[in-house]
Amino acid sequence: MKKLHIAISTEKIEETIQDYSLRFNAPPCLVIPGEYALWRTETLNISIRQDITRAPGSLRHLGWEDPNATEFTMDTDVNGIVWERFASLHQANEINETWPDTNYQP
């Protein structure tokens, strides 16, 4: 089943982790202190990232976690929003490339 992916910018990573953990009734499955957190629920894939290139609380991109995706793809819709499509392994590879000591496995 596809999961909607939402990526959000924050300047308050720890506070956002606490807030979203309450909202989702679950802790993130991955936290990179001071930088990133990821929640993978039954229907959602949500990430937050400390991102100085975006306004806090702004959308970084949308997408689909799709188990049938054979590769990571990205395109832009008519509103300028970036949409990604990926399998959980593709996301794990991107996380592990960005933060090599993480060794994240979905």
Side-chain angles (χ1 to χ4, degrees):
M1 172 206 284
K2 285 190 202 178
K3 297 178 183 187
L4 179 63
H5 172 62
I6 304 169
I8 300 169
S9 176
T10 184
E11 66 179 8
K12 300 176 182 176
I13 191 98
E14 298 305 324
E15 294 95 328
T16 305
I17 290 170
Q18 291 174 0
D19 182 19
Y20 286 19
S21 293
L22 290 172
R23 291 178 189 278
F24 303 144
N25 197 31
C29 61
L30 173 65
V31 173
I32 299 173
E35 296 188 56
Y36 181 85
L38 173 67
W39 288 262
R40 294 179 72 234
T41 72
E42 230 176 86
T43 56
L44 294 174
N45 175 312
I46 298 180
S47 65
I48 58 169
R49 186 168 182 178
Q50 188 90 17
D51 185 350
I52 61 170
T53 67
R54 306 262 184 182
S58 67
L59 180 67
R60 295 180 57 243
H61 58 266
L62 294 170
W64 295 105
E65 178 188 328
D66 182 351
N68 296 318
T70 57
E71 63 184 349
F72 174 90
T73 60
M74 183 172 52
D75 65 356
T76 304
D77 72 14
V78 298
N79 297 299
I81 298 171
V82 173
W83 282 80
E84 298 178 344
R85 182 172 174 260
F86 55 87
S88 60
L89 182 58
H90 301 129
Q91 186 176 36
N93 289 342
E94 180 182 26
I95 290 167
N96 290 325
E97 287 173 13
T98 305
W99 297 283
D101 294 336
T102 303
N103 195 26
Y104 170 66
Q105 302 296 317

